[in-house]
């Protein structure tokens, strides 16, 4: 009972602090960092206290402390899973898929006919539940990371293609005319004007694809995998009701996902430093 | 015609490539069978045999269409082999979850727009959650919900709701903030309260954003329902998994195309509602 009271009190106090901080100094940079952090801590504390207070079984929801302990004690296993799923499966598929999409976009750039044909098809495919091809890819490429990479390739291809094609037409008429008056060839125009101008669009596609890549690699492992990998660990631990391990995997997946996103955003800032959205 | 011709060309090219890939991928099996029987197959015979296998590596398009047709029209709709039966199970979970997720998402967005503390605390997490492979928790949620005694559709709906929730929150916050300062000031000069401003200005002007995120949300809901079905007895996701267990490739492809058709119909349906709504509100572009 005392745990429940503690949870309610902690929640009310944190809420009070956050409202006060937001009202008094909502524009301050440190406050903008502090408020969501306190919110996250509050969620964890209330979670822990409610589970202790109501004595929820750990096979329904383990407390964060147990998840943290599991995370710390099984780092080698988690690292192995991360390498298998993220670096081998998701990342290789991501690089192949995004590279192919950009190349195809450049290749069809000269043909408005192909663009008008491929864009609607690409938009259509991008909305489909492509993860469903996972069992087919597992059948074709075996249980190891190659099949996961293949799923990721298909998943990331169309969003990046559609965004790149849109980006390649983003430069102004005037800018293209300027290139023409300088006697620039098609390739010079592409390299010096239209590709740089397309970068904000391409990075938008790359960011969307980053999330999709991790989803694709994990879901593909639900359909068959070697005895390592995040998706494998999640399905295997479900059988043993090891929910703390599953939560640990999810925490790692969340960290890897945000770190990857952050990396893409960093590269974007370096490449598109000239774009208004990157200037403060 | 000017817009249709390129699309048809691309689709035709995909179908041709597909047939070529079917011959290429299924060919080794035909050769293998022929070598065992001590005969040689060649020419049209070879091509024909690559497209009539029971469990091809890659079914030819017409085999998939036949599988789809058999699943949709060839069975009683209560049959366990009917794609309509499985599709309905998936669709019901998707729609239930979508409605829950969208409703909660809109409510949270209204809260975020009106409460500074909530905005600062929740919004960064809502944005961060979009970079996280949330789908990884689907199998675990399914087990937990089962042990709590929830039925299959509720389990799926919760996963679907969870996946459609965050896109709607992020989109709606943007939409509810889209009226500019002039419009908000005008309502203040009318001495309109928060509730009136919400009903008469913020909600109407958020409609384009709402529909954009609904389209993302319904696609995410469907993916969630399919993944949530992987350890359930029925539904398109279960069809995919059982097909992959027993090597029934035609069944997998038919289920996949059924899911794709459903996704397309749902997105197009929302697009239709969007067009009508925006036109009635005088916001059509």
């Amino acid at each position: 009972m005392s745990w429940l009271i503690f949870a309610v009190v902690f929640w009310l106090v944190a809420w009070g602090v956050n409202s006060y901080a937001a009202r008094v100094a909502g524009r301050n940079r440190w406050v903008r960092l502090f408020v969501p952090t306190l919110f996250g801590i509050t969620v964890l504390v209330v979670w822990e206290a409610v589970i202790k207070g109501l004595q929820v079984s750990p096979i329904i929801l383990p407390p964060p402390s147990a998840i943290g302990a599991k995370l710390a004690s099984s780092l080698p296993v988690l690292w192995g899973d991360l390498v298998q799923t993220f670096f081998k499966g998701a990342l290789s598929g991501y690089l192949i898929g995004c590279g192919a999409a950009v190349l195809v976009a450049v290749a069809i750039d000269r043909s408005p006919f192909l663009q008008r044909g491929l864009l609607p098809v690409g938009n259509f495919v991008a909305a489909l539940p492509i993860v469903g091809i996972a069992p087919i890819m597992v059948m074709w490429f075996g249980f190891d990371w190659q099949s996961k990479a293949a799923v990721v390739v298909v998943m990331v291809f169309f969003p990046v293609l559609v965004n790149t094609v849109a980006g390649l037409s983003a430069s102004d008429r005037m800018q293209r005319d300027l290139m023409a008056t300088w006697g620039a060839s098609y390739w010079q125009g592409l390299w010096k004007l239209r590709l740089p101008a397309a970068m904000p669009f391409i990075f938008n596609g790359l960011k969307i694809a980053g999330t999709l890549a991790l989803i694709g690699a994990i879901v593909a492992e639900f359909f068959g995998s070697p005895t390592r990998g995040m998706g494998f660990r999640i399905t295997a631990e479900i059988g043993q009701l090891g929910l703390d391990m599953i939560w640990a995997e999810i925490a790692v997946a969340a960290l890897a996902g945000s770190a990857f996103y952050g990396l893409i955003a960093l590269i974007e800032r370096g490449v598109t430093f000239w774009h208004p959205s990157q200037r403060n | 015609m000017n817009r249709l011709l390129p699309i048809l060309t691309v689709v035709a090219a995909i179908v041709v490539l597909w047939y070529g890939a079917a011959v290429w991928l299924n060919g080794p099996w035909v050769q293998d069978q022929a070598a065992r029987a001590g005969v040689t197959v060649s020419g049209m015979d070879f091509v024909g045999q690559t497209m009539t296998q029971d469990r091809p590596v890659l079914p030819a398009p017409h085999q998939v269409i036949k599988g789809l047709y058999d699943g949709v029209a060839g069975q009683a709709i209560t049959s366990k082999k009917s794609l309509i039966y499985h599709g309905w199970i998936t669709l019901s979970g998707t729609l239930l979850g979508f409605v829950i997720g969208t409703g909660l998402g809109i409510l949270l967005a209204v809260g975020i727009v009106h409460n500074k503390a909530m905005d600062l605390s929740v919004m960064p997490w809502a944005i961060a959650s979009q970079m996280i492979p949330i789908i990884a928790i689907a199998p675990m949620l399914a087990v937990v919900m089962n042990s709590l005694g929830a039925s299959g559709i509720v389990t799926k709906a919760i996963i679907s709701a969870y996946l459609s929730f965050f896109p709607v929150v992020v989109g709606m916050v943007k939409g509810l903030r889209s009226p500019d300062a002039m419009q908000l000031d005008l309502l203040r000069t009318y001495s309109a309260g928060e509730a009136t401003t919400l009903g008469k200005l913020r909600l109407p002007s958020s409609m384009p954003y709402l529909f954009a995120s609904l389209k993302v949300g319904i696609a995410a809901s469907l993916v969630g329902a399919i993944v949530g079905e992987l350890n359930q007895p029925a539904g398109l996701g279960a069809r995919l998994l059982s097909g992959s267990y027993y090597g029934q490739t035609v069944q997998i492809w038919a289920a996949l195309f059924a899911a794709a058709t459903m996704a397309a119909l749902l997105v197009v349906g929302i697009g239709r509602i969007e067009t009508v709504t925006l036109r009635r509100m005088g916001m059509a572009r």
Side-chain angles (χ1 to χ4, degrees), chain B residues 71-73 75-77 79 81-89 236:
Chain B
V72 172
Q75 318 280 344
I77 52 168
S79 154
K81 285 182 177 170
S82 166
L83 276 174
I84 297 198
Y85 167 77
H86 289 287
W88 166 245
I89 288 180
L236 292 176

Side-chain angles (χ1 to χ4, degrees), chain A residues 36 113 116 124 140 211 238 250, chain B residues 2 6 9 57 125 130 137 143 264:
Chain A
F113 182 80
R116 266 181 292 148
F124 174 73
W140 285 2
T211 319
I238 283 174
I250 290 169
Chain B
N2 204 9
T9 316
V57 180
W125 294 104
Q130 300 211 298
I137 69 160
V143 170

Side-chain angles (χ1 to χ4, degrees), chain A residues 39 50 52 57 64 78 149 158 161 170 181 187 191 214 248 251 254 280:
Chain A
F39 179 77
V50 165
K52 289 249 165 77
S57 152
L78 289 169
F158 289 101
L161 177 75
T181 59
W187 291 108
W191 188 248
L214 212 46
N280 293 326

Side-chain angles (χ1 to χ4, degrees), chain A residues 71-189:
Chain A
L71 189 90
S73 67
S74 42
L75 278 180
V77 177
L78 289 169
W79 175 248
D81 291 346
L82 185 68
V83 169
Q84 170 74 16
T85 303
F86 182 69
F87 290 105
K88 289 187 182 167
L91 203 57
S92 57
Y94 180 80
L95 293 177
I96 299 172
C98 295
V102 172
L103 288 182
V104 169
V106 171
I108 65 168
D109 176 51
R110 285 181 131 171
S111 159
F113 182 80
L114 270 182
Q115 280 184 21
R116 266 181 292 148
L118 263 179
L119 268 194
V121 175
N123 269 323
F124 174 73
V125 176
L128 300 182
I130 304 186
V131 278
I133 63 158
I136 298 160
M137 292 302 164
V138 169
M139 222 174 258
W140 285 2
F141 296 100
F143 279 178
D144 210 351
W145 61 270
Q146 289 88 346
S147 59
K148 281 71 196 172
V151 174
V152 174
V153 168
V154 181
M155 278 184 85
V156 301
F157 183 79
F158 289 101
V160 179
L161 177 75
V162 170
N163 273 293
T164 312
V165 170
L168 282 176
S169 56
S171 54
D172 299 349
R173 181 89 242 168
M174 197 104 84
Q175 294 168 324
R176 270 176 280 167
D177 283 351
L178 182 63
M179 293 304 273
T181 59
W182 286 337
S185 71
Y186 167 79
W187 291 108
Q188 282 172 325

Side-chain angles (χ1 to χ4, degrees), chain B residues 247-278:
Chain B
Q248 297 286 359
T249 37
V250 178
Q251 178 188 329
I252 299 181
W253 281 93
L256 191 57
F257 270 70
T261 315
M262 197 187 284
L265 288 180
L266 287 173
V267 173
V268 168
I270 289 184
R272 199 49 67 76
I273 299 174
E274 176 183 19
T275 320
V276 172
T277 313
L278 293 189

